[in-house]
Amino acid sequence: MRFGLSRRQFAALGAGLVLPDLTSLAGIGKSAEAMELPDVAPNLDVTVPQPLPDFHFLDAFGRRLTLAHFRGEGLVVNLWATWCPPCRAELPTLVALNPRIRGDGIRVLPISVDSQGIKAVRPYYAKHHITGVPILLDPSSSALDAFDVNGIPFTVIVDRKGQMVASLQGAGDWNTPATIAQLRKLIGPKPAAASGTTAT
């Protein structure tokens, strides 16, 4: 069973509406802390390397970025929102994952699709003591349209050549030995002289 929100539920929650059937969804009626997420490793949708769709997002300073800014690094790109219970349950596992894979030249990029942008995300990071991963913003949800996905959370794995090699629709526990091993295998070893990036 996958934990996530469909586009219909996503739109309703993002607009502050409540749908009658939301509480019947797996995990939605629970607090984020109460959700028991499955290990990501057996649920990843692995694919042949393919080009990423074009979309842009912003950093906390309002600078426009694309995934090309991180070329040469492996990426775990997570689309999430502060009002999405499965996203909130999953995010701590991604935050915990990040320092375990940074030495491999792989980084976690959580991109918020909150329509209020920095006004929603900055206080959320502060309240939950989130550090080590950047604040990244996509208030127009252009990434969801670019990937043509049905809801959030949605995560893609990007190799060092900037190609998508796997994805996950729904929430999972990313901070597990099996998932870390699979990420390293999918992305490959760190080059001897990896180039730096412009964003932190």
Side-chain angles (χ1 to χ4, degrees), residues 4-23 25-30 35 81-88 113-116 151-153:
L5 296 179
S6 71
R7 278 232 176 174
R8 181 173 64 87
Q9 296 149 356
F10 168 91
L13 282 177
L17 303 175
V18 178
L19 295 178
D21 61 348
L22 278 181
T23 55
L25 295 173
I28 298 300
K30 301 178 180 179
M35 288 187 187
T82 61
W83 43 259
C84 162
C87 303
R88 294 198 307 262
V113 296
D114 283 90
S115 61
Q116 293 183 334
I152 55 173

Side-chain angles (χ1 to χ4, degrees), residues 2-55:
R2 293 188 177 182
F3 299 103
L5 296 179
S6 71
R7 278 232 176 174
R8 181 173 64 87
Q9 296 149 356
F10 168 91
L13 282 177
L17 303 175
V18 178
L19 295 178
D21 61 348
L22 278 181
T23 55
S24 67
L25 295 173
I28 298 300
K30 301 178 180 179
S31 70
E33 293 77 14
M35 288 187 187
E36 294 182 10
L37 299 176
D39 192 325
V40 164
N43 296 304
L44 267 180
D45 182 11
V46 179
T47 182
V48 295
Q50 54 188 282
L52 289 164
D54 291 328
F55 69 97

Side-chain angles (χ1 to χ4, degrees), residues 178-193:
T179 296
I180 292 169
Q182 190 166 14
L183 290 174
R184 288 171 174 158
K185 180 179 179 181
L186 287 168
I187 292 170
K190 181 179 179 180

